[in-house]
Amino acid sequence: MKYKLVLAVGHEQITDQIKKFDEVEVVEENGDIEIIEEVMEFVDADFAVINTMLSAEKSLHFAQRAQQMQVKVICIVADFKMDRKLILSLAGCGVTAFVQIDELYRIPECLEAYPEQFDYQLLQDHAEEGETAGAKSAVQKRKTTVAVLGIMPRIGTTTHALSLAKYLNDRGYKTAYIELNGSDYIRQLAATYTAAEEDAAAGKVTYEGLDMYYDPGSVPKALRLPYLFYIYDFGDIHGLKSREQITWLEKDIKVLVAGTKPNEIDQFQYAVKQVYNQNTKYLFNFCSQAEQHDVRVRMGSRMDATYFASWLPDPFATVDENVYLAEMMADALAKVGDVTESVKESKAQKSGFWRRKR
């Protein structure tokens, strides 16, 4: 049996994954929840699937309207524990089916057997899982994940991801950089700088006090360590695989590295279409002071989420004019609060730049 669906999930990769299910026929799709809410008046649909990460407020309004129209809703959430309050509010609006972003394969189950009532035990089960794993420390509760993505190759994505990681780490916010771009930059760094220390078993290199993970398989273990920030370097948007695009959606903060040169404008427009409704921050590289006002105006409603990077030839260099990093991370740093770790006053110096390790 085919079920007719309307979708408001905000990303074509999630849409494509849902369309692949044999039980599904998508009759309408849009990245804006409000538009799909209007469309429901004119299409015949059995279910609506919405991504609550696009907007909690719009999701609640949508659920109320869907209940009036007797349309069954399946809500995609980031995490059952993290979104507990939102889930309870949506359940109060009649939504009984919820799927975590990393468990989209469960959507067909919800279609075949849509729950008549919301199972509150589901939230309790997830809460107990957390308790069995041991009570989280205050530091662990404040973890923040940051995704950095470029509009095209060689736009400065890795440079800015590393610079951001070092900026946070140098200020006492213990930070891990995670390489997901396939460049092998971190291992090459370890082979080049004699001051870099590689821990092959942990899949990481430590340089100037910053832990940098090059093995994706080591990430789950790293997530259990007492880092406050995790900076994920996704490389350029054209190189993203399907699973990585969903992983990008899961991150607390999303940064798109862009440019304003003629060959970068088209690439930027393409990338914006992919990430526009995902609370993205826009970091422009190599943008002159004369251009910045015009760029802000052109960014329209995203003006307040637009930042301009300082000239940064070396991601490990100390940059005095890094105000943009402080502004970009202001909300996250306020959430983390004070740190007890002392900031290192002395930094390791680069060594052996022009010679390989033996």
Side-chain angles (χ1 to χ4, degrees):
M1 177 180 177
K2 288 274 188 181
Y3 297 96
K4 295 179 180 179
L5 271 63
V6 292
L7 305 179
V9 295
H11 202 287
E12 62 181 13
Q13 293 297 325
I14 301 178
T15 300
D16 290 344
Q17 187 168 346
I18 294 173
K19 284 180 177 179
K20 289 177 182 176
F21 297 134
D22 295 335
E23 302 88 346
V24 165
E25 177 189 346
V26 176
V27 295
E28 191 65 48
E29 58 185 278
N30 195 284
D32 191 318
I33 295 175
E34 285 183 329
I35 292 176
I36 285 298
E37 183 178 336
E38 294 173 6
V39 166
M40 283 201 308
E41 299 275 359
F42 308 100
V43 298
D44 178 24
D46 302 308
F47 292 88
V49 179
I50 62 171
N51 181 0
T52 62
M53 288 177 281
L54 297 176
S55 169
E57 184 180 350
K58 289 181 180 180
S59 298
L60 286 166
H61 192 277
F62 181 94
Q64 291 169 349
R65 183 70 185 123
Q67 187 178 35
Q68 294 170 1
M69 298 179 64
Q70 297 185 332
V71 174
K72 297 173 182 176
V73 179
I74 300 171
C75 285
I76 299 172
V77 297
D79 180 85
F80 281 112
K81 287 179 285 186
M82 184 173 69
D83 293 329
R84 187 175 185 276
K85 289 184 179 179
L86 176 59
I87 292 171
L88 288 171
S89 297
L90 288 165
C93 296
V95 180
T96 61
F98 297 87
V99 174
Q100 289 188 161
I101 187 68
D102 58 349
E103 296 181 343
L104 295 180
Y105 61 84
R106 291 189 52 244
I107 288 178
E109 298 174 18
C110 297
L111 298 174
E112 294 286 354
Y114 190 81
E116 292 185 10
Q117 294 181 332
F118 176 63
D119 182 6
Y120 289 92
Q121 185 62 38
L122 188 66
L123 295 179
Q124 182 62 32
D125 290 344
H126 282 273
E128 287 173 357
E129 285 175 13
E131 290 170 8
T132 4
K136 289 184 178 179
S137 67
V139 170
Q140 287 174 314
K141 289 178 182 177
R142 294 180 291 171
K143 290 178 184 292
T144 300
T145 55
V146 182
V148 184
L149 179 67
I151 61 169
M152 59 190 289
R154 304 192 67 79
I155 194 67
T157 308
T158 295
T159 297
H160 288 295
L162 283 169
S163 178
L164 175 58
K166 185 172 185 295
Y167 170 84
L168 294 167
N169 204 60
D170 285 355
R171 280 151 185 78
Y173 301 97
K174 191 166 177 60
T175 301
Y177 165 88
I178 298 173
E179 182 182 75
L180 294 179
N181 56 24
S183 68
D184 205 32
Y185 177 89
I186 299 305
R187 295 186 73 180
Q188 290 179 38
L189 180 150
T192 303
Y193 296 164
T194 56
E197 299 177 0
E198 181 175 5
D199 182 345
K204 73 171 181 177
V205 170
T206 301
Y207 181 64
E208 295 200 353
L210 177 65
D211 291 339
M212 299 169 286
Y213 290 84
Y214 57 79
D215 179 6
S218 64
V219 174
K221 185 176 181 180
L223 290 172
R224 295 193 293 271
L225 297 176
Y227 295 106
L228 289 174
F229 287 92
Y230 294 85
I231 311 300
Y232 291 78
D233 180 354
F234 282 87
D236 76 277
I237 195 167
H238 301 285
L240 281 187
K241 298 175 183 176
S242 177
R243 170 58 191 157
E244 289 170 348
Q245 296 214 14
I246 294 174
T247 303
W248 152 273
L249 287 170
E250 297 172 347
K251 302 300 175 270
D252 301 316
I253 298 172
K254 305 171 189 68
V255 179
L256 183 69
V257 181
T260 57
K261 295 176 183 175
N263 65 316
E264 295 164 353
I265 298 300
D266 285 346
Q267 301 291 332
F268 176 63
Q269 291 174 342
Y270 167 80
V272 166
K273 290 178 182 177
Q274 310 303 310
V275 303
Y276 189 74
N277 287 320
Q278 297 166 15
N279 298 319
T280 305
K281 296 179 184 291
Y282 302 89
L283 179 60
F284 284 88
N285 206 11
F286 308 119
C287 186
S288 69
Q289 289 282 346
E291 288 183 290
Q292 291 181 13
H293 174 72
D294 187 46
V295 171
R296 283 189 184 276
V297 171
R298 290 177 179 274
M299 289 300 290
S301 63
R302 297 300 191 268
M303 182 186 297
D304 291 340
T306 300
Y307 306 87
F308 300 95
S310 304
W311 185 64
L312 196 66
D314 179 359
F316 295 98
T318 301
V319 181
D320 294 330
E321 300 176 2
N322 52 17
V323 179
Y324 70 98
L325 291 177
E327 292 176 347
M328 192 167 67
M329 299 299 294
D331 291 343
L333 292 177
K335 174 185 171 184
V336 169
D338 295 331
V339 289
T340 56
E341 300 173 57
S342 59
V343 182
K344 296 179 182 178
E345 294 183 2
S346 61
K347 304 291 188 299
Q349 298 298 314
K350 286 179 192 164
S351 175
F353 185 86
W354 297 112
R355 59 190 172 84
R356 311 295 285 182
K357 284 185 174 180
R358 301 298 181 191

